[in-house]
Amino acid sequence: MSLIPARARGALSRIYAMLMKEFIQLRRDRITLATMITVPLMQLFLFGFAINTTPRDLPTAVLLQENTDVGRSILAALRNTAFFDIRKVATSEAEVESLLRSGSVLFVIEIPAGFERALRRGETPAMLVSADATDPVAAGSALGALEGVVQSALSRDRVTGVAPPAPPTFEIRQHRRFNPAGSSQLNIVPGLLGTILTMTMLIFTALSVTREVERGTMESLLAMPIRPLEIMLGKIAPYVVVGFLQATLIVSAGVFVFGVPMLGNLALLAGLTTLFIAANLSIGYTFSTLAQNQLQAVQMAMMFFLPNILLSGFMFPFAGMPLWARGIGECLPLTHYIRIVRGIMLKGADLADLQHDGLWLVGLMLVAMTIAVRRFRQTLD
Amino acid sequence: MMEAAPDIVIDVAGLTKTFGARTVVKDLTLQVRRGQIYGFLGPNGSGKTTTIRMLCGLLTPDGGAGTCLGYDIRTQSHLIKRRVGYMTQRFSLYQDLSIRENLEFVGRVFGLEDPRAAAREAIDRLGLGGRENQLAGELSGGWKQRLALGACILPRPDLLLLDEPTAGVDPKARRDFWNEIHDLSAQGLTVLVSTHYMDEAERCHEIAYIAYGELLAHGPVDEVVRAAGLQTWRVSGEDLHSLAAALTHLPGLELVAPFGASLHVGGRDHAAVEAAIAPWRNDPRYVWRADEPTLEDVFIDLMSRKRDNFRDTAS
């Protein structure tokens, strides 16, 4: 009657049994269910709205050692940019030093005495900028903006009365591709999709086997005719659906709330996202077969999560890392997924562009599954 | 590999299991015939659970070999699992699944044609109709145990392994449970059941007594009692407490135990027993009556002698 051989039908029936059981348990676990929806949304909005690596309104003090037109016009120009928030116009070195040291300001712009005179003479006087570089990211982009601000202030002011400075012999044209405005959200939202999925998927399956052991249900389960591979597939499958819903939620919020473009093929993104979810679930499940209890499993998941955050290119540029760190990074699913998401959403990449990263995900998933099935303790020995 | 006769369901010899330095089961040999209710008795930590787990493939024996339902317990446990219903000591169904969902899960894992129908049938048989959507974790101890048994027999196994199934269950539920076991056995199912209760032991066709990992006695109840060769007296009268204190350490008396308003006194060496009790035999305060030893007398005697041997060899 059926085309499926009896053996395979038995296996499918067992996987289905496991899958249904997990779905029902998941449905009854209100807290986990709530976590699945709120954690991604919360992270997305926190990261998306609160974090910006192109900072604005940096607290700044100006040390004005002469009261001249040039000084005032530079001050006005600084006030006009969104980068700096002039908190204090100081008159002594000691005052700005203490402001900087206490963290009240991140920048001190010093216009020395005789600045205007030197400028009118055609000399090149120095303007000292001290930045609190304990946060290099914040300092960097503001410093980059400073020169332009002062330059345009001076030319508008025409204080020099001489011809505008000779144009440099060459100029660099920046072409910010795929993210012309340099918006952080465009970088963070796709990265966040992978990060949130990694975290939630790891935890869900990391708990799945240890929970059965701790609740005492493992003994019955092991005494039944079900194989480790069937248990694993049955336990992973429901969370693929959950992960897919989370991904849909995050991508929708990214596109509609944060205006992240969707240049590539949505179906391709969906397919590779499913693969990424399955890879993380397999890794979490592997931890679950190695851990003695739920706490250990969560700790393992966290240990794995940390390099994912740091070495995947989510937080820091991948290309800037030393070779060994990039080597570790290549072995993390998140590294490849971030490339995939940025590629599809921001650059319109197709499968041919992403096949390398896709194959890595398949490989990592299979390695994790093999370890899990081999490590699964079929007896209570 | 030894071939079990078709009517021998469990046939193991020399089973040994150690955990670290501790030998939990030592050289255990056991045969259980088809359709029998086989009682497995012994004090806590005597190796009953470990033996049951070895029979259904949950533990690998360190020594010995044998068959369960004709399959090798070392290499064919996946085949054994299909035909065995194992009821664990601790309730091990899913507490957050309903009665029906738990039964359907078992039905699907065992690959039944129609798990839903099988679950419905089991619910009716268990008398749980109308409560099938209640979560298993909300059931009382007695109902949990009925449900667990229902789940075990759902796939129609040939052998039931029940590990202290009636621990913590009230007498009425216990009786119902045993009636059900006898019905199942009448239908040809073989049952191996571990228990602490003497009345349950007496409802078994055969029993095995295990202490400190060793099989000390086995056979039908009356045979085990007879083989123990105990001579016992039942003493009634006043101030039995001081009599018990006086008798306890006398040579020849292996058993001095109060039983309600009387005292059980006995030993193996009949002449020695007579000699030991002689000073009180004609004491008007006491009435002495020769008595049949109970199964409990036999077990307590077996266990204390085993413990003494254990101490002797250890020291």
Side-chain angles (χ1 to χ4, degrees):
Chain A
M1 180 72 201
S2 173
L3 291 173
I4 311 167
R7 267 181 73 103
R9 214 169 43 231
L12 284 178
S13 160
R14 291 189 290 271
I15 294 171
Y16 178 69
M18 207 65 206
L19 184 150
M20 285 303 289
K21 184 213 86 157
E22 291 286 323
F23 254 128
I24 296 167
Q25 288 186 311
L26 183 61
R27 207 181 62 210
R28 303 249 156 88
D29 190 352
R30 292 279 152 88
I31 297 199
T32 305
L33 214 56
T35 321
M36 280 173 200
I37 311 290
T38 51
V39 165
L41 283 182
M42 207 169 67
Q43 285 208 11
L44 187 66
F45 282 89
L46 282 182
F47 272 85
F49 280 128
I51 294 173
N52 199 332
T53 53
T54 347
R56 302 157 65 87
D57 298 328
L58 297 164
T60 304
V62 176
L63 176 58
L64 210 55
Q65 292 187 330
E66 59 169 25
N67 194 3
T68 57
D69 289 343
V70 174
R72 277 190 297 274
S73 84
I74 292 174
L75 202 59
L78 288 173
R79 283 202 163 111
N80 282 339
T81 68
F83 283 115
F84 303 101
D85 174 16
I86 312 289
R87 293 275 171 90
K88 181 88 184 167
V89 179
T91 47
S92 81
E93 295 251 6
E95 199 181 343
V96 293
E97 182 62 26
S98 93
L99 285 171
L100 202 57
R101 202 171 286 283
S102 67
S104 312
V105 298
L106 292 176
F107 284 91
V108 172
I109 298 168
E110 186 181 338
I111 298 169
F115 186 80
E116 180 175 342
R117 200 156 39 118
L119 210 62
R120 288 193 196 285
R121 282 195 197 137
E123 294 168 16
T124 36
M127 214 171 109
L128 179 69
V129 181
S130 311
D132 177 353
T134 49
D135 183 354
V137 179
S141 47
L143 279 175
L146 192 61
E147 195 179 354
V149 170
V150 176
Q151 200 56 260
S152 65
L154 292 183
S155 57
R156 235 183 296 120
D157 203 43
R158 301 199 177 281
V159 281
T160 54
V162 296
T169 48
F170 67 90
E171 67 177 324
I172 295 169
R173 284 196 181 150
Q174 289 191 354
H175 193 175
R176 294 178 182 230
R177 292 196 57 193
F178 313 123
N179 185 1
S183 153
S184 295
Q185 272 97 351
L186 256 57
N187 179 21
I188 283 182
V189 172
L192 211 53
L193 169 61
T195 312
I196 294 171
L197 284 176
T198 302
M199 193 174 78
T200 48
M201 296 300 104
L202 277 179
I203 296 286
F204 290 149
T205 43
L207 295 179
S208 67
V209 175
T210 41
R211 185 166 47 214
E212 299 245 6
V213 173
E214 281 182 24
R215 289 187 185 172
T217 51
M218 195 47 128
E219 196 179 346
S220 269
L221 192 60
L222 289 179
M224 289 187 210
I226 184 163
R227 293 189 187 86
L229 181 68
E230 294 157 358
I231 295 177
M232 180 178 76
L233 293 178
K235 276 182 173 289
I236 284 180
Y239 292 106
V240 173
V241 178
V242 172
F244 198 79
L245 290 178
Q246 280 191 340
T248 310
L249 202 68
I250 299 166
V251 170
S252 309
V255 171
F256 297 115
V257 180
F258 297 106
V260 179
M262 181 68 219
L263 299 180
N265 187 335
L266 193 60
L268 178 64
L269 181 65
L272 290 172
T273 299
T274 309
L275 182 62
F276 171 68
I277 290 169
N280 274 312
L281 289 171
S282 315
I283 292 168
Y285 188 82
T286 307
F287 293 150
S288 201
T289 58
L290 299 173
Q292 305 287 333
N293 52 49
Q294 295 197 45
L295 184 64
Q296 270 188 17
V298 172
Q299 284 170 334
M300 283 185 192
M302 283 300 149
M303 290 254 294
F304 180 71
F305 186 58
L306 200 64
N308 264 292
I309 291 285
L310 298 177
L311 302 181
S312 64
F314 168 63
M315 284 220 162
F316 309 111
F318 191 76
M321 296 191 299
L323 196 61
W324 62 266
R326 276 182 285 167
I328 298 173
E330 290 286 351
C331 299
L332 302 171
L334 185 57
T335 306
H336 300 282
Y337 185 63
I338 284 180
R339 289 180 197 156
I340 288 171
V341 181
R342 284 179 186 163
I344 296 176
M345 291 184 80
L346 306 181
K347 303 185 202 166
D350 58 24
L351 185 58
D353 298 321
L354 300 170
Q355 56 176 339
H356 171 78
D357 292 308
L359 284 175
W360 261 100
L361 286 184
V362 173
L364 291 171
M365 180 179 75
L366 290 181
V367 168
M369 284 185 161
T370 310
I371 297 173
V373 169
R374 284 177 163 273
R375 279 291 314 193
F376 188 86
R377 289 180 291 269
Q378 260 191 295
T379 63
L380 299 167
D381 284 294
Chain B
M1 196 76 279
M2 62 180 111
E3 235 356 273
D7 67 329
I8 302 289
V9 173
I10 297 174
D11 188 6
V12 292
L15 276 195
T16 299
K17 181 75 190 172
T18 54
F19 291 116
R22 213 158 49 90
T23 302
V24 178
V25 175
K26 205 183 319 176
D27 198 21
L28 184 110
T29 298
L30 196 70
Q31 281 205 337
V32 178
R33 278 184 290 128
R34 185 175 305 282
Q36 266 196 329
I37 301 177
Y38 199 90
F40 213 37
L41 289 102
N44 288 326
S46 56
K48 301 191 296 286
T49 300
T50 306
T51 306
I52 291 178
R53 284 177 175 171
M54 283 193 279
L55 291 176
C56 63
L58 282 179
L59 288 175
T60 323
D62 294 321
T67 59
C68 186
L69 295 160
Y71 300 115
D72 190 311
I73 58 164
R74 284 176 176 278
T75 57
Q76 294 180 301
S77 61
H78 58 287
L79 294 170
I80 296 173
K81 286 174 184 174
R82 288 187 193 177
R83 293 172 57 196
V84 168
Y86 171 41
M87 184 168 159
T88 53
Q89 201 168 333
R90 181 177 157 196
F91 182 72
S92 60
L93 292 176
Y94 295 98
Q95 312 248 8
D96 50 352
L97 254 55
S98 73
I99 292 169
R100 183 174 51 79
E101 289 157 352
N102 264 307
L103 293 169
E104 284 178 4
F105 172 70
V106 174
R108 288 193 186 108
V109 169
F110 279 87
L112 300 189
E113 277 295 319
D114 190 349
R116 279 165 188 274
R120 246 192 328 271
E121 201 183 303
I123 287 163
D124 290 340
R125 194 176 51 231
L126 290 167
L128 281 166
R131 297 172 67 182
E132 63 265 32
N133 290 323
Q134 202 174 339
L135 295 188
E138 294 169 358
L139 294 174
S140 69
W143 281 108
K144 272 186 183 162
Q145 171 241 36
R146 295 203 72 171
L147 174 60
L149 179 66
C152 277
I153 59 178
L154 186 80
R156 306 197 172 285
D158 297 315
L159 170 65
L160 274 185
L161 300 173
L162 312 175
D163 194 0
E164 291 185 22
T166 55
V169 168
D170 68 62
K172 168 78 168 68
R174 233 149 53 91
R175 168 141 320 171
D176 293 345
F177 186 84
W178 274 90
N179 287 342
E180 173 114 33
I181 298 290
H182 272 273
D183 287 347
L184 292 167
S185 144
Q187 291 161 27
L189 195 66
T190 312
V191 183
L192 179 79
V193 52
S194 76
T195 179
H196 285 301
Y197 299 110
M198 293 304 134
D199 62 316
E200 291 188 351
E202 280 165 356
R203 300 187 70 158
C204 296
H205 298 125
E206 266 189 57
I207 55 166
Y209 188 77
I210 172 174
Y212 305 98
E214 280 184 68
L215 190 66
L216 298 184
H218 67 99
V221 175
D222 47 354
E223 242 173 62
V224 169
V225 173
R226 209 177 315 128
L230 277 179
Q231 187 198 24
T232 51
W233 292 87
R234 182 186 288 265
V235 197
S236 50
E238 51 202 85
D239 198 19
L240 291 171
H241 191 72
S242 60
L243 177 64
L247 290 172
T248 297
H249 295 293
L250 287 182
L253 292 186
E254 278 140 352
L255 179 84
V256 178
F259 266 83
S262 57
L263 192 68
H264 271 206
V265 181
R268 240 155 243 280
D269 184 339
H270 295 203
V273 172
E274 298 286 348
I277 64 173
W280 291 277
R281 274 302 298 277
N282 296 315
D283 192 318
R285 287 178 298 168
Y286 308 118
V287 180
W288 293 80
R289 209 172 45 216
D291 196 16
E292 283 290 303
T294 64
L295 193 57
E296 185 161 314
D297 292 335
V298 173
F299 287 155
I300 290 173
D301 175 54
L302 281 173
M303 196 166 64
S304 58
R305 274 191 296 130
K306 182 65 206 163
R307 193 177 48 219
D308 294 342
N309 290 348
F310 199 68
R311 282 205 193 118
D312 290 347
T313 50
S315 59

